Amino acid sequence: MAGCGVRWQYILGAALSGALLLTAGILLGHYAIYKEPQTPEWLHSLSRDLDPALLEDFMNQVEAARIGQNLKDLSSKPHMATTKGDEELVQLILKAWRDPQTGLDSAMEGQYEVFLSFPDPEKPNSVAVVMENGSQAFISQETEKNLTADQADRDVVKPYAAYAPPGNPKGKLVYANQGKMSDYEYLVQQGIDLNGTIAITRYGGAGRADKAINGAKFGVVGVVVYTDPGDINDGKASATETYPYSWYLPPSGVERGSYNSHFGDLLTPYYPAKGFTYRIPEDQITGIPPIPTQPIGFEDAKTLICNLAGNPVAEAAWQGALGCVYHLGPGFRQDGLFPNSSEVQVNVHNYRRINTSSNVMGLIRGSVEPDRYVLYGNHRDSWVHGAIDPSSGTAVMLEISRVLGKMVKEGKLRAGCVCVFYFLWWGKFLCLSHLSATQEFYSKLQQRSVAYINVDIAVFANATLRAQGTPPAQSVIFAAVKTPAADSSLSVYENWKQHFSRNSSVYGVIPSLGSLGAGSDYASFIHYLGITSMDIAYTYDRSKTSARIYPAYHTAFDTFHYAETFIDPGFTSHQTVARTAGNVLIRLADALILPLNVSDYGETLQQMYSVAREAFQADLTHHNISLDPLWAAINRFQAAAAGLNQRIANLREEANPSPLDVRMVNDQLMLLERAFLNPRAFPEKYYYSHVIMASRSSSLATFPGLADAYDNAKEDGLWGEVHKQLTIVIQVIENAASILEPVAE
Amino acid sequence: MAGCGVRWQYILGAALSGALLLTAGILLGHYAIYKEPQTPEWLHSLSRDLDPALLEDFMNQVEAARIGQNLKDLSSKPHMATTKGDEELVQLILKAWRDPQTGLDSAMEGQYEVFLSFPDPEKPNSVAVVMENGSQAFISQETEKNLTADQADRDVVKPYAAYAPPGNPKGKLVYANQGKMSDYEYLVQQGIDLNGTIAITRYGGAGRADKAINGAKFGVVGVVVYTDPGDINDGKASATETYPYSWYLPPSGVERGSYNSHFGDLLTPYYPAKGFTYRIPEDQITGIPPIPTQPIGFEDAKTLICNLAGNPVAEAAWQGALGCVYHLGPGFRQDGLFPNSSEVQVNVHNYRRINTSSNVMGLIRGSVEPDRYVLYGNHRDSWVHGAIDPSSGTAVMLEISRVLGKMVKEGKLRAGCVCVFYFLWWGKFLCLSHLSATQEFYSKLQQRSVAYINVDIAVFANATLRAQGTPPAQSVIFAAVKTPAADSSLSVYENWKQHFSRNSSVYGVIPSLGSLGAGSDYASFIHYLGITSMDIAYTYDRSKTSARIYPAYHTAFDTFHYAETFIDPGFTSHQTVARTAGNVLIRLADALILPLNVSDYGETLQQMYSVAREAFQADLTHHNISLDPLWAAINRFQAAAAGLNQRIANLREEANPSPLDVRMVNDQLMLLERAFLNPRAFPEKYYYSHVIMASRSSSLATFPGLADAYDNAKEDGLWGEVHKQLTIVIQVIENAASILEPVAE
């Protein structure tokens, strides 16, 4: 942002690094020679660009060992939201951010009262096989086996499906694959009456809550969810092949999770979850399981699935790695472990309550443009110890804030030019509290935020960078990773390109920036507020594993020992993520002109258009709906972006550009993303306002509202809705183009 | 806005006024002495304030006679939207704005395709009395009597209710007062069966369309609307007491109008009405008459109402000035003009169609902050000649733009600092096209607009200024009118205070700034985009008339002759409005710090709170809903506004404030109004997003959503909705307060 580098000369303290001192000396000489009393003090601070020495200083100071120590401290105890372990982390973080040597300018708490769901500690949930005489032939394990002592911690929450209602339904068991609508439909097509059945489903394919929401529509009365070793363990299923002998999930591991389709506090949609806030009646909550639901480990799942009756067997795509042929049910086979008349009972004793807890926010005040914010966030709460999810991200955040805080305290860095806000919410439940914050301060964040950087799980695996973001984030991330990595001669950029690449029509082969879904704390920033957002992590070599996610995810095995032994020994990948995210942060905070290339949106829009044209054009023409105005809008957008880039290039050549001219183009770059919002585009999807990036049911990578309306129209013939969604897309692209065009036209 | 005055020194041409030359000379001397090559060119242009000499120059150049001539040109022919007369005005205005000596920097057209309603020129609409044998005993006049030749113009559109459906319903006549729900309920309470009746209603009390929408709910099959001389003519009803002998409406005058409860194009809610736009099916349009409806003059209304049967007579509040006692019906009295068995038939032949027409936009480019816009607008189309509505406003706009354009061409004025956009829509139909423009460029306008100035009907009467606006507009309007008026020693301010005053808890007795409804072209700027808006006009001495509006409103008597003879002889009130609006415009465009006092919102919020507390507290307490958090939010807002004002005062004392510091506070002032928006607050009210200023059904001057929810809860017991609306108000005030608080907190 406008002119930060030179600002240092006014605030340089005693403890300078050599490189920075040299730079400052040159600058003082350059400007001081003709100094005269009429020149205001601010003059030279407003037109200088990012200082490369400052970036280098930051990169050098990021230490892998400190991140490892952070991770150990953060994951030493289970810290589920609003529990004692979680509250202790609030204090740990506030202490770090208030440290006299390495703290931030300020750190504070913001309290919210949100609706949570817990299992009853007195009455463990279970999945049981009940024989005709009422006695139990089988009951699922209460929790994970104690393999490394960590699992014996009495604060380990027993497996449950958060927000699933209590109850004890009983019925014949069916295997329903991933619990998608199409899966249940397939069972019905096989002649299976789903009424009164219990469905066992594997994780993946559909959202956690959807497995039960879909099932209930077919008369299913209870749902069991398990993790198939085929999906998470590259097929490994025995105790000796899994943790602590490898990174794979042990047979007793159970993935907990929030079973909800929406994000945000369930009782206060669109409002901050404060004391004064209106709460909807519980019976109006949508998007959660309507029937009891319980997750189990694959050891228990094997006992259930491998004894199922049913003919024919499940089709190939439904087969997993439990070591038997999967049948569909209903009920158990004659020659199996259980009498054929046995039923499965799902026993859920969850309760719901409103608890109070805090966001923690830290701030480095901006020196030149304090009304421009760079945001950086993660959640702090976990399901159990949460070493990877989310403490790996928190450990990285604390190291970045330590180095920047130290540079500020030493007078090397006055926060860059703009404010840097760190947020550390507690968010495992539905991105709860980050959303409450965006609802509480929505205009402030929306009017002033340059970008939001998210580092949730920092390291899934130590093979390669994986970044997601909206198109303008690509340029700043690429700039940040084109320096060599800490542990290899290959730059992070080149390594990333080797693992994930795409052929860009503009740049040729480049690393592939992923799209943001709604799976982490960036969700409300991009979808609700329209702030350019990105998510940065290290991840797998996909040639070596097909695991859906790192195998200990949301289980009692996600511990520091697991992280240091199998995920990132030496914490060098954590270090790379910290360097990358911090580098991006400094660039966004200190560059004279924001390093967001809006032209890259043009490429994305064009790709989406090509997909839409290919897939929809014939039907649309048949219904007198033309894609030409969409193409015209995209052309206008691309021309506007190119024009802005040219004006930026001209501005860069000016020796002393006017700070208001610089601010003007920065505002265009910053506020472009807002122009893609339409809060009325998807009234049935809570918080999704970003017309280009919203979620979609369609599998086509194109405009989400258009694609979903098209799919619906193919079913119900409502082509007017397709035209309406097309209109919304055209309107928003024309609107966005007008933001990039010269302002006085 | 930031630093404009000094900018002149770089662009001063040869033709300077003495006062401005002097100012510029001082400035050049002040800054030039220590001039050195390192000082960038822009330095001195960024920190200077509004030049009073420039304001004075503008005020002196505004000429009453030119406004009179503009008005004559603009109203020489009927110019209903999309007719030939209207298209000619487009060219007239473009010519003025492209004039080499007095034009603007650019002028352009923007085309839209909107849904209009017209009467069939071949088949005149009518209201007839039909006897049992089918023959007509009476038929209403086709149009106004030709009293001054203007009415004989063949382009005078015959009276009709735009958007009322065609049809020929027939039934017993009832008199339904103003057609409010309570009016129809009263008739039912009197034992009158409304099924199959025709209701005659007078203008006022309910929206035009509501008279028919309400009536249809009771079984009414057709509606007649007339203007009661008691409401518009201070009771004068004879031909010799009315125009052309006075300003009062002649007996044959008929108020035309758009019969619609929403604003905006009916087929494209929330989208710009372009060629590519999805249009809703006509049968999904809401807010228009569901039954044939026709307006008539009071001469014809007298014939109908004064012959009504019914006992008892209508209550006192229902009586008007037709010169007889009003009975309720149903049907005609035995001893009257018509056989008792006669019925009234409403014959409507309106048709609807989509027509293309243009907005005209003019622009003076900003020199220092071209990405900040001051907007000024009006519609240009009328129902007939429209001398007062809207040509009085357009005549004022053309004079303001002529003077400013001239000053720009002469190099005296480089548009102030920010862009000035003039809009001249065609909007008699539902504020149609201004809304399309705000829908087309919503982000651009929302991100960059300082304020919107509306001058629609410039002069209702020549007694006093009347201004409406959101609270921050008060300070700039007051500043503009504290100079003596053109035609009296009394300042416009003092005169205004004598006519409309209030006792402010902050300022004592001051002129009363009215609230903005949705009755003119500001509607989408304030309600949809949250841009600080104001409406400026001259109006009545309320001690001398109780006319609902100037009597010739929307009739064929609203002509140049009427305007110059009865409304504003000499056009001095027009001149005062032009000076006031232009003065406000220059202040908004040129002041270093925006002259919008956001503290004044605090006073308004406190007033609204007091009203709510007084009226609702007891019931709310009974339902466990507390107003305390609302009071706390208002206190926070007031403290934040006071703090910002203090920081502004400090900034003003700095000799050379940083342009980015100035921009920061200006952005806070400018964007405050946006923070009151919640697009999800009133999902059933198209375009109303401004939580504080939205329309309300309640008669209480307090938070509209809260007041309406309270009224509903008293009926239906849904107190949760009251708590929800209270939450929305608290959220938005807290959000607004956070905009005014120091940015780095």
Side-chain angles (χ1 to χ4, degrees):
Chain A
M1 298 294 289
C4 296
V6 181
R7 188 75 181 101
W8 317 140
Q9 65 182 289
Y10 299 109
I11 46 99
L12 281 173
L16 294 171
S17 78
L20 192 67
L21 185 59
L22 182 64
T23 308
I26 292 168
L27 296 171
L28 281 165
H30 181 65
Y31 287 108
I33 292 166
Y34 294 99
K35 199 173 165 76
E36 39 95 356
Q38 270 64 26
T39 303
E41 198 194 353
W42 47 259
L43 174 61
H44 301 305
S45 70
L46 303 189
S47 55
R48 264 266 306 172
D49 209 348
L50 180 67
D51 181 354
L54 198 77
L55 263 182
E56 199 181 324
D57 190 17
F58 168 80
M59 300 290 274
N60 289 336
Q61 291 198 50
V62 171
E63 295 176 30
R66 284 183 185 268
I67 299 175
Q69 186 60 46
N70 290 344
L71 187 53
K72 191 168 187 175
D73 296 343
L74 291 164
S75 62
S76 65
K77 292 181 193 172
H79 51 283
M80 191 164 63
T82 74
T83 63
K84 186 160 160 289
D86 180 44
E87 293 304 317
E88 285 172 8
L89 288 195
V90 172
Q91 300 313 317
L92 182 154
I93 291 154
L94 284 174
K95 184 157 172 272
W97 285 353
R98 288 171 177 161
D99 185 278
Q101 267 74 51
T102 60
L104 308 178
D105 284 329
S106 67
M108 65 215 102
E109 294 180 66
Q111 286 204 329
Y112 299 97
E113 299 176 15
V114 297
F115 184 67
L116 303 177
S117 162
F118 299 101
D120 186 335
E122 307 301 317
K123 292 185 242 162
N125 294 345
S126 67
V127 175
V129 175
V130 182
M131 293 187 292
E132 215 168 4
N133 64 7
S135 62
Q136 282 185 353
F138 165 84
I139 186 160
S140 61
Q141 299 167 53
E142 275 189 27
T143 188
E144 282 94 345
K145 288 203 166 68
N146 183 20
L147 301 179
T148 64
D150 287 320
Q151 293 75 40
D153 191 307
R154 65 182 181 177
D155 288 334
V156 171
V157 70
K158 294 195 170 63
Y160 74 116
Y163 299 107
N168 303 83
K170 199 169 66 171
K172 293 281 186 194
L173 187 69
V174 294
Y175 170 58
N177 192 28
Q178 297 176 315
K180 303 189 294 288
M181 282 300 286
S182 57
D183 292 333
Y184 290 109
E185 282 159 5
Y186 175 81
L187 291 176
V188 171
Q189 284 157 16
Q190 301 309 307
I192 297 174
D193 178 4
L194 292 172
N195 282 300
T197 60
I198 303 291
I200 184 166
T201 62
R202 56 190 172 114
Y203 273 117
R208 291 190 190 105
D210 292 329
K211 297 170 195 293
I213 292 170
N214 296 340
K217 290 177 185 156
F218 291 84
V220 170
V221 295
V223 168
V224 181
V225 187
Y226 80 102
T227 308
D228 199 286
D231 296 324
I232 200 92
N233 274 0
D234 295 317
K236 305 290 190 298
S238 75
T240 53
E241 289 174 309
T242 57
Y243 183 72
Y245 304 100
S246 78
W247 81 323
Y248 290 122
L249 181 67
S252 69
V254 185
E255 179 182 325
R256 295 151 188 80
S258 191
Y259 278 59
N260 185 28
S261 325
H262 307 307
F263 54 96
D265 181 57
L266 294 171
L267 297 184
T268 59
Y270 297 122
Y271 316 118
K274 306 289 279 189
F276 65 77
T277 305
Y278 167 71
R279 286 169 166 77
I280 63 171
E282 279 193 41
D283 60 12
Q284 288 179 17
I285 295 173
T286 59
I288 60 174
I291 50 178
T293 302
Q294 177 65 18
I296 60 173
F298 64 77
E299 185 167 34
D300 288 340
K302 181 176 181 176
T303 307
L304 297 173
I305 289 176
C306 292
N307 284 291
L308 276 175
N311 217 349
V313 302
E315 60 180 357
W318 288 38
Q319 296 295 328
L322 290 176
C324 64
V325 174
Y326 296 18
H327 291 252
L328 302 174
F332 295 110
R333 60 186 158 87
Q334 285 292 4
D335 56 344
L337 210 53
F338 309 116
N340 172 255
S341 59
S342 304
E343 294 189 320
V344 168
Q345 185 165 34
V346 179
N347 298 300
V348 174
H349 306 284
N350 300 344
Y351 66 97
R352 303 166 181 180
R353 56 172 296 177
I354 292 173
N355 275 359
T356 301
S357 186
S358 298
N359 273 345
V360 186
M361 284 177 283
L363 166 67
I364 303 180
R365 249 174 243 111
S367 59
V368 175
E369 285 183 286
D371 59 340
R372 287 294 173 263
Y373 307 154
V374 175
L375 310 173
Y376 181 112
N378 184 25
H379 56 279
R380 67 166 187 270
D381 62 308
S382 61
W383 285 107
V384 191
H385 295 82
I388 303 301
D389 180 9
S391 302
S392 62
T394 313
V396 162
M397 180 194 271
L398 285 177
E399 178 61 1
I400 294 173
S401 67
R402 179 192 70 82
V403 176
L404 289 179
K406 182 160 162 279
M407 290 169 81
V408 169
K409 300 280 181 192
E410 291 171 355
K412 289 183 191 173
L413 172 64
R414 188 59 251 152
C417 310
V418 308
C419 285
V420 177
F421 277 100
Y422 297 94
F423 294 97
L424 201 60
W425 359 80
W426 37 282
K428 289 315 294 179
F429 288 87
L430 332 165
C431 306
L432 277 182
S433 61
H434 86 271
L435 191 63
S436 266
T438 55
Q439 282 156 344
E440 190 173 359
F441 312 120
Y442 57 94
S443 288
K444 185 170 167 172
L445 293 173
Q446 198 166 39
Q447 292 173 3
R448 299 176 187 160
S449 297
V450 167
Y452 173 73
I453 303 166
N454 197 66
V455 180
D456 175 350
I457 297 173
V459 180
F460 291 86
N462 61 358
T464 175
L465 192 78
R466 185 227 59 183
Q468 302 171 328
T470 57
Q474 178 177 282
S475 48
V476 65
I477 296 174
F478 280 10
V481 296
K482 281 187 171 170
T483 45
D487 54 351
S488 90
S489 58
L490 208 60
S491 73
V492 175
Y493 178 89
E494 288 298 329
N495 183 55
W496 180 14
K497 192 165 81 174
Q498 285 185 8
H499 284 85
F500 300 106
S501 68
R502 69 181 180 96
N503 201 338
S504 156
S505 61
V506 178
Y507 304 105
V509 177
I510 54 172
S512 177
L513 184 78
S515 314
L516 292 169
S520 183
D521 304 85
Y522 52 75
S524 69
F525 291 93
I526 182 60
H527 295 301
Y528 179 56
L529 297 182
I531 294 168
T532 295
S533 298
M534 63 200 85
D535 184 69
I536 297 171
Y538 240 64
T539 195
Y540 322 102
D541 180 343
R542 278 294 177 198
S543 69
K544 296 187 181 155
T545 179
S546 67
R548 192 170 56 82
I549 192 165
Y550 70 97
Y553 174 73
H554 284 200
T555 74
F557 304 113
D558 185 353
T559 61
F560 181 73
H561 175 262
Y562 181 85
E564 74 170 342
T565 312
F566 295 111
I567 298 292
D568 189 21
F571 299 101
T572 52
S573 294
H574 282 78
Q575 185 183 33
T576 303
V577 171
R579 284 177 167 161
T580 302
N583 192 315
V584 166
L585 189 158
I586 294 173
R587 285 172 189 272
L588 289 168
D590 258 21
L592 181 66
I593 292 169
L594 283 176
L596 301 171
N597 186 354
V598 292
S599 277
D600 292 335
Y601 240 120
E603 190 189 348
T604 299
L605 295 175
Q606 189 168 340
Q607 280 168 358
M608 288 183 161
Y609 172 80
S610 299
V611 172
R613 190 166 183 279
E614 173 76 20
F616 308 148
Q617 170 117 313
D619 278 318
L620 294 184
T621 303
H622 183 68
H623 290 93
N624 286 315
I625 302 168
S626 170
L627 287 173
D628 294 347
L630 173 59
W631 182 233
I634 293 169
N635 279 319
R636 179 181 166 194
F637 181 92
Q638 291 176 324
L644 178 59
N645 281 350
Q646 185 56 54
R647 295 196 303 283
I648 288 172
N650 297 345
L651 197 60
R652 284 190 195 282
E653 296 195 356
E654 288 186 29
N656 261 309
S658 152
L660 293 181
D661 288 351
V662 172
R663 171 84 164 212
M664 177 173 75
V665 299
N666 279 335
D667 277 2
Q668 289 178 283
L669 298 171
M670 175 178 104
L671 294 172
L672 169 66
E673 201 87 59
R674 272 19 138 242
F676 287 115
L677 294 185
N678 179 342
R680 297 174 180 92
F682 313 112
E684 75 295 350
K685 288 188 197 177
Y686 280 157
Y687 304 114
Y688 285 99
S689 295
H690 196 301
V691 170
I692 310 300
M693 296 296 159
S695 67
R696 56 181 151 75
S697 307
S698 165
S699 60
L700 290 176
T702 184
F703 307 102
L706 180 65
D708 287 351
Y710 174 88
D711 284 356
N712 291 339
K714 293 290 278 185
E715 298 277 322
D716 59 22
L718 295 177
W719 291 92
E721 284 301 305
V722 179
H723 192 189
K724 184 167 148 184
Q725 287 294 334
L726 178 62
T727 297
I728 288 171
V729 173
I730 296 168
Q731 179 187 23
V732 95
I733 296 173
E734 295 270 2
N735 183 56
S738 80
I739 292 301
L740 303 183
E741 287 166 354
V743 297
E745 279 183 4
Chain B
M1 297 296 289
C4 296
V6 181
R7 187 77 182 100
W8 317 140
Q9 65 182 287
Y10 299 109
I11 46 97
L12 281 173
L16 293 173
S17 76
L20 192 67
L21 185 57
L22 181 65
T23 308
I26 292 169
L27 295 170
L28 280 164
H30 181 66
Y31 287 108
I33 293 167
Y34 295 96
K35 201 172 165 74
E36 41 94 356
Q38 270 65 24
T39 303
E41 199 194 353
W42 47 259
L43 174 61
H44 302 303
S45 70
L46 302 189
S47 55
R48 264 266 306 172
D49 209 347
L50 179 68
D51 182 353
L54 199 78
L55 263 183
E56 198 180 325
D57 191 17
F58 168 80
M59 299 290 273
N60 289 336
Q61 289 198 51
V62 172
E63 294 177 30
R66 283 184 187 269
I67 300 175
Q69 186 60 47
N70 289 345
L71 187 53
K72 192 168 186 177
D73 295 344
L74 291 164
S75 62
S76 65
K77 292 181 193 171
H79 51 285
M80 191 163 63
T82 75
T83 64
K84 185 161 161 287
D86 180 46
E87 292 304 316
E88 285 171 8
L89 289 196
V90 172
Q91 299 313 316
L92 182 154
I93 292 154
L94 285 174
K95 184 156 174 272
W97 285 353
R98 289 171 178 162
D99 185 279
Q101 267 74 50
T102 60
L104 308 178
D105 285 329
S106 67
M108 64 214 103
E109 292 180 66
Q111 285 204 330
Y112 300 96
E113 299 176 15
V114 297
F115 183 67
L116 303 177
S117 162
F118 299 102
D120 186 335
E122 307 301 318
K123 292 185 243 161
N125 293 346
S126 66
V127 175
V129 176
V130 182
M131 293 186 293
E132 215 166 5
N133 64 9
S135 64
Q136 281 186 352
F138 164 85
I139 186 159
S140 60
Q141 299 169 53
E142 275 188 27
T143 188
E144 280 95 345
K145 289 203 166 68
N146 182 20
L147 301 180
T148 64
D150 287 320
Q151 294 74 38
D153 191 306
R154 63 182 182 179
D155 288 333
V156 171
V157 70
K158 294 195 171 62
Y160 74 116
Y163 298 108
N168 304 83
K170 197 169 68 173
K172 293 281 185 192
L173 187 69
V174 295
Y175 170 57
N177 191 28
Q178 297 176 315
K180 302 189 294 288
M181 283 299 285
S182 58
D183 293 333
Y184 290 109
E185 281 158 7
Y186 176 81
L187 291 176
V188 171
Q189 283 157 15
Q190 300 310 307
I192 297 173
D193 178 5
L194 292 172
N195 282 300
T197 61
I198 303 291
I200 183 165
T201 62
R202 56 189 173 115
Y203 272 117
R208 292 189 190 105
D210 292 328
K211 298 170 194 292
I213 293 169
N214 296 340
K217 291 178 185 156
F218 291 84
V220 170
V221 294
V223 168
V224 181
V225 187
Y226 80 102
T227 308
D228 198 287
D231 296 323
I232 199 94
N233 273 2
D234 295 316
K236 304 292 190 300
S238 75
T240 54
E241 289 173 309
T242 57
Y243 183 72
Y245 304 100
S246 77
W247 81 323
Y248 291 120
L249 181 67
S252 69
V254 186
E255 180 182 325
R256 295 151 187 80
S258 190
Y259 278 58
N260 184 28
S261 324
H262 307 308
F263 54 96
D265 181 57
L266 294 171
L267 296 183
T268 59
Y270 297 122
Y271 316 118
K274 307 289 280 187
F276 66 76
T277 305
Y278 168 71
R279 285 169 167 78
I280 63 171
E282 280 193 42
D283 60 14
Q284 289 179 16
I285 295 174
T286 59
I288 60 173
I291 50 178
T293 303
Q294 177 65 17
I296 60 172
F298 63 79
E299 186 167 34
D300 289 339
K302 181 176 180 176
T303 306
L304 297 172
I305 289 177
C306 293
N307 284 291
L308 276 175
N311 217 349
V313 301
E315 61 180 358
W318 289 38
Q319 296 296 328
L322 290 175
C324 64
V325 174
Y326 296 18
H327 290 252
L328 302 174
F332 296 110
R333 61 187 157 87
Q334 286 293 3
D335 56 342
L337 211 54
F338 309 116
N340 172 258
S341 59
S342 305
E343 294 188 321
V344 168
Q345 186 166 34
V346 180
N347 298 299
V348 175
H349 306 284
N350 300 343
Y351 66 97
R352 303 166 180 180
R353 57 172 295 178
I354 292 173
N355 275 358
T356 301
S357 187
S358 298
N359 273 346
V360 186
M361 284 177 283
L363 166 67
I364 304 179
R365 250 174 241 110
S367 60
V368 175
E369 286 183 284
D371 59 341
R372 287 296 173 260
Y373 306 155
V374 175
L375 310 174
Y376 181 112
N378 183 25
H379 56 278
R380 66 165 189 272
D381 62 308
S382 61
W383 285 106
V384 191
H385 295 82
I388 302 301
D389 179 10
S391 302
S392 61
T394 313
V396 162
M397 179 193 273
L398 285 177
E399 178 61 0
I400 294 173
S401 68
R402 179 192 70 84
V403 176
L404 290 179
K406 183 161 162 280
M407 290 168 82
V408 169
K409 300 280 181 191
E410 291 171 353
K412 290 183 191 174
L413 171 64
R414 190 56 249 152
C417 309
V418 307
C419 285
V420 177
F421 277 101
Y422 297 94
F423 293 96
L424 202 59
W425 358 81
W426 36 282
K428 289 315 292 179
F429 289 87
L430 330 168
C431 307
L432 277 180
S433 62
H434 85 272
L435 192 64
S436 267
T438 54
Q439 281 156 346
E440 190 172 1
F441 312 119
Y442 56 96
S443 288
K444 185 169 168 172
L445 293 174
Q446 198 165 40
Q447 292 174 2
R448 299 175 187 160
S449 296
V450 167
Y452 173 72
I453 303 166
N454 196 65
V455 180
D456 175 349
I457 297 173
V459 180
F460 291 86
N462 60 0
T464 175
L465 192 78
R466 185 228 58 184
Q468 301 171 328
T470 57
Q474 178 177 280
S475 48
V476 65
I477 296 174
F478 281 9
V481 295
K482 281 187 171 171
T483 44
D487 54 352
S488 90
S489 58
L490 208 60
S491 73
V492 176
Y493 178 88
E494 288 298 330
N495 182 55
W496 181 13
K497 192 163 80 173
Q498 286 184 7
H499 284 85
F500 299 106
S501 68
R502 69 180 180 96
N503 202 337
S504 156
S505 61
V506 178
Y507 303 104
V509 177
I510 54 172
S512 177
L513 184 79
S515 314
L516 292 169
S520 184
D521 304 85
Y522 52 75
S524 69
F525 290 92
I526 182 61
H527 295 300
Y528 179 56
L529 296 181
I531 293 169
T532 295
S533 297
M534 64 200 87
D535 184 68
I536 297 171
Y538 240 64
T539 194
Y540 323 103
D541 181 343
R542 278 292 176 199
S543 70
K544 295 185 180 158
T545 180
S546 66
R548 193 169 55 81
I549 192 166
Y550 71 95
Y553 174 73
H554 284 199
T555 74
F557 304 112
D558 184 354
T559 61
F560 180 73
H561 175 263
Y562 180 84
E564 74 169 343
T565 311
F566 295 110
I567 299 290
D568 188 22
F571 299 101
T572 52
S573 294
H574 282 78
Q575 185 183 34
T576 302
V577 171
R579 284 177 167 161
T580 302
N583 192 314
V584 166
L585 189 157
I586 293 172
R587 284 172 190 273
L588 288 168
D590 258 19
L592 180 66
I593 292 170
L594 282 176
L596 301 171
N597 186 355
V598 292
S599 277
D600 293 335
Y601 240 119
E603 191 188 347
T604 299
L605 295 175
Q606 189 168 341
Q607 281 168 359
M608 288 182 161
Y609 172 79
S610 299
V611 172
R613 190 167 183 278
E614 172 77 19
F616 308 149
Q617 171 115 315
D619 279 319
L620 294 184
T621 304
H622 183 68
H623 290 93
N624 286 316
I625 302 168
S626 170
L627 287 173
D628 294 348
L630 173 58
W631 182 233
I634 292 170
N635 280 319
R636 179 181 167 194
F637 182 92
Q638 290 176 324
L644 177 59
N645 280 351
Q646 185 56 53
R647 295 197 302 283
I648 287 172
N650 297 345
L651 197 60
R652 283 190 196 282
E653 295 195 355
E654 287 186 30
N656 263 308
S658 151
L660 292 180
D661 288 350
V662 172
R663 171 84 163 212
M664 177 174 74
V665 298
N666 279 335
D667 277 2
Q668 290 177 282
L669 297 172
M670 175 178 104
L671 294 172
L672 168 67
E673 202 88 58
R674 271 24 135 241
F676 287 115
L677 295 185
N678 180 342
R680 297 174 179 93
F682 314 113
E684 76 294 350
K685 287 189 197 177
Y686 279 157
Y687 303 114
Y688 284 99
S689 295
H690 196 300
V691 170
I692 310 299
M693 296 295 158
S695 67
R696 57 182 149 76
S697 307
S698 165
S699 59
L700 291 176
T702 185
F703 307 102
L706 180 64
D708 287 352
Y710 175 87
D711 284 356
N712 291 339
K714 294 289 279 183
E715 298 276 323
D716 60 21
L718 295 177
W719 291 92
E721 283 301 304
V722 179
H723 192 188
K724 184 168 149 184
Q725 287 294 334
L726 177 62
T727 298
I728 288 171
V729 173
I730 296 168
Q731 179 187 24
V732 94
I733 295 174
E734 296 269 2
N735 182 57
S738 80
I739 291 301
L740 303 183
E741 286 166 354
V743 297
E745 281 185 2

